[in-house]
Amino acid sequence: MRYFFLGIKGVGVVGLATLYREWGNDVLGSDTEEKFFTDRILADLHIPVVSFDVAHVTSDINVLIYSSAYSEPHPQVTRARELGIVCKSYAEALAEIFNAKTGILVTGTHGKTTSTAMLGRVLEDADLDPTVVCGGELIEWGYTARAGKSELVVAEGDEYQAKILALKPHFVLLTNIEYDHPDFYLDEEAYRGVFRTLLQTLSGTDIVVAHENLRNFVDTSTQAKKIYFGQGADSMKLSVWGAHNKTNALGVLALSMFLGIPQEHAAATLAKFRGTRRRMELYTPEDADIVLIDDYAHHPTEIRETLHAVREHYPSRTIIAAFQPHTYSRTRALLDDFAQAFGDADHIIILDIYASARERDRSISGEDLFHAVEKNHKSVIFAFSPEDASEKAKKLLKPQSVLVALGAGDVWRVVRNLKEMALK
């Protein structure tokens, strides 16, 4: 089969492209010329990336799969339909793979990517040969996905736009629930409702593994068998930092035991798990005089957890947090919580908002967040761009300091720029 992926550099889409390529199909795709970390994955898999020119959509293509970033009618989708090519959204294509196998869905507000990656590694080490689709690149694999041959498939489930409801899992690992995506869910009840609806689809033979804080919610939402986790974090030995990662590991351990993997085997894999890109990813050795870290944290709780983990690891170092808000709606809805999320940082750099093309209401700005943070912290700076933030961070960096870039946009450019500056 010949597959064409529109928006192939996206982290989810590149995962599906990886699976189809590894399963022996002919794969190509289109995207912008902007550089992404996925460029390396695509080059490694020898997957061509072309422009959005409709001439690249040819009659020998069997299926076109398009990223959710292109929800509006796109010329390449229009051309594909004119040629009679089957067109599917990313969510539809993922559901087709997932629902044909014994599906394990990892979902929740925080910790999805790390938990999915951890579980994928545990199943791999147990010789269960899973197919895995993760929302980040596993450092140990160098890919965001793994093409297995068994009936097990593990997928990170995105609650945004209720995409998880297309998936029909036999197992659900529910990490936590905390209000997010205010551009789609008007309030917390609506947000919790998508998880409730998911759990209501499960039968009595399905399994839900959830944090014990969600016991009441899960008990009243599903007839599936329930397993709760949350105790024993202090005894977990991990290579990745932070209490939140110990909690992620507890959930994976609980599900792994149910799948018949001996606890000591799963714990051994988790102990050596190296993490995923953009989740407290070190750009320097951890004992360097100046340490550079990149993290995807884009919700107040995630910022707190990441900075607290860094503070625990470096109790006496100066910590500089460079945060790029992601979406106007999230910044507006959670402004007060964001303003109080940086307690473990000595210096804070607030960047302008990384916008979503879907948003129309832009009546809040990064400067509004800067002023809100300024009320709670003595040392706060505003930066207009990652390049501006890099220059301002460079002036703050001294021996025995740590710079943490935080956000779901392109704030990773700050640590990349600083690393390049250090090499000059």
Side-chain angles (χ1 to χ4, degrees):
M1 296 277 282
R2 184 168 170 80
Y3 288 86
F4 187 100
F5 290 85
L6 168 58
I8 196 168
K9 293 185 181 183
V11 66
V13 178
V14 80
L16 287 189
T18 300
L19 296 185
Y20 283 113
R21 182 72 182 86
E22 295 283 83
W23 285 331
N25 297 286
D26 188 15
V27 174
L28 76 159
S30 61
D31 217 311
T32 67
E33 292 184 357
E34 184 180 350
K35 297 298 182 185
F36 290 86
F37 79 88
T38 53
D39 287 312
R40 183 205 55 77
I41 295 173
L42 293 164
D44 190 56
L45 291 168
H46 304 290
I47 295 176
V49 181
V50 299
S51 72
F52 291 132
D53 191 323
V54 295
H56 296 301
V57 180
T58 52
S59 59
D60 60 339
I61 293 167
N62 300 105
V63 181
L64 184 146
I65 296 170
Y66 55 92
S67 163
S68 60
Y70 302 99
S71 55
E72 298 297 321
H74 191 279
Q76 287 185 323
V77 176
T78 301
R79 178 59 177 156
R81 288 182 172 139
E82 288 172 352
L83 293 172
I85 297 168
V86 174
C87 296
K88 301 174 185 176
S89 69
Y90 164 78
E92 289 169 335
L94 175 62
E96 187 175 79
I97 293 171
F98 186 88
N99 296 343
K101 293 176 175 281
T102 302
I104 304 174
L105 178 63
V106 181
T107 192
T109 310
H110 316 298
K112 295 187 290 288
T113 296
T114 299
S115 297
T116 302
M118 285 178 166
L119 182 58
R121 285 288 298 113
V122 167
L123 296 175
E124 180 185 41
D125 275 4
D127 295 325
L128 294 177
D129 198 14
T131 293
V132 183
V133 182
C134 189
E137 177 189 337
L138 276 73
I139 293 172
E140 289 158 276
W141 290 348
Y143 295 115
T144 65
R146 179 187 191 277
K149 295 183 176 65
S150 78
E151 281 301 302
L152 283 180
V153 56
V154 182
E156 176 176 338
D158 185 4
E159 76 277 19
Y160 183 60
Q161 297 176 329
K163 293 174 187 172
I164 52 175
L165 299 184
L167 304 177
K168 308 302 178 188
H170 294 285
F171 301 89
V172 173
L173 173 53
L174 183 58
T175 58
N176 44 62
I177 301 175
E178 187 174 12
Y179 183 46
D180 198 6
H181 301 300
D183 59 326
F184 187 77
Y185 300 102
L186 295 179
D187 53 32
E188 184 173 1
E189 187 55 38
Y191 180 76
R192 292 171 70 87
V194 71
F195 295 106
R196 188 180 299 279
T197 301
L198 170 71
L199 296 180
Q200 287 172 340
T201 67
L202 303 179
S203 72
T205 60
D206 297 325
I207 308 294
V208 178
V209 177
H211 193 279
E212 59 188 8
N213 291 346
L214 296 172
R215 185 182 295 269
N216 290 340
F217 177 81
V218 173
D219 282 348
T220 58
S221 299
T222 187
Q223 59 181 330
K225 180 177 173 61
K226 306 159 192 77
I227 302 168
Y228 294 100
F229 66 90
Q231 301 297 318
D234 292 342
S235 63
M236 293 295 302
K237 299 190 185 318
L238 302 176
S239 298
V240 290
W241 309 342
H244 61 300
N245 277 324
K246 289 186 175 182
T247 301
N248 292 334
L250 286 175
V252 171
L253 194 62
L255 179 52
S256 300
M257 290 171 62
F258 189 85
L259 292 170
I261 301 170
Q263 183 173 356
E264 60 272 20
H265 292 179
T269 297
L270 292 170
K272 64 186 181 183
F273 173 73
R274 293 172 56 199
T276 62
R277 303 287 182 199
R278 299 229 59 219
R279 272 68 177 179
M280 287 198 290
E281 179 185 358
L282 282 161
Y283 272 57
T284 60
E286 66 176 280
D287 59 352
D289 205 24
I290 293 176
V291 174
L292 303 175
I293 300 172
D294 177 38
D295 194 86
Y296 193 69
H298 55 284
H299 185 283
T301 297
E302 295 166 352
I303 293 169
R304 286 192 193 91
E305 292 285 357
T306 296
L307 290 177
H308 187 63
V310 173
R311 175 56 73 198
E312 281 188 327
H313 202 76
Y314 298 108
S316 59
R317 289 201 180 202
T318 298
I319 296 175
I320 303 157
F323 174 59
Q324 181 187 52
H326 183 252
T327 75
Y328 293 92
S329 57
R330 182 183 285 114
T331 306
R332 184 184 303 104
L334 305 179
L335 183 67
D336 292 342
D337 206 5
F338 274 123
Q340 301 175 57
F342 297 89
D344 280 305
D346 298 293
H347 305 284
I348 305 161
I349 302 170
I350 300 294
L351 284 76
D352 210 354
I353 294 171
Y354 188 91
S356 164
R358 295 180 291 265
E359 295 188 289
R360 298 291 178 263
D361 183 354
R362 302 192 174 197
S363 57
I364 193 168
S365 70
E367 289 184 270
D368 293 322
L369 177 57
F370 160 73
H371 290 304
V373 175
E374 201 176 26
K375 294 176 183 177
N376 296 281
H377 210 286
K378 292 183 294 184
S379 179
V380 190
I381 301 169
F382 182 74
F384 292 95
S385 66
E387 287 65 38
D388 186 26
S390 304
E391 293 294 337
K392 289 173 176 173
K394 188 177 180 182
K395 295 175 182 177
L396 292 171
L397 287 168
K398 308 294 182 190
Q400 294 297 291
S401 58
V402 182
L403 183 286
V404 189
L406 301 157
D410 62 355
V411 71
W412 55 268
R413 294 178 186 274
V414 175
V415 286
R416 185 199 64 181
N417 292 343
L418 290 168
K419 185 174 182 179
E420 289 177 352
M421 289 176 188
L423 294 175
K424 291 179 180 177

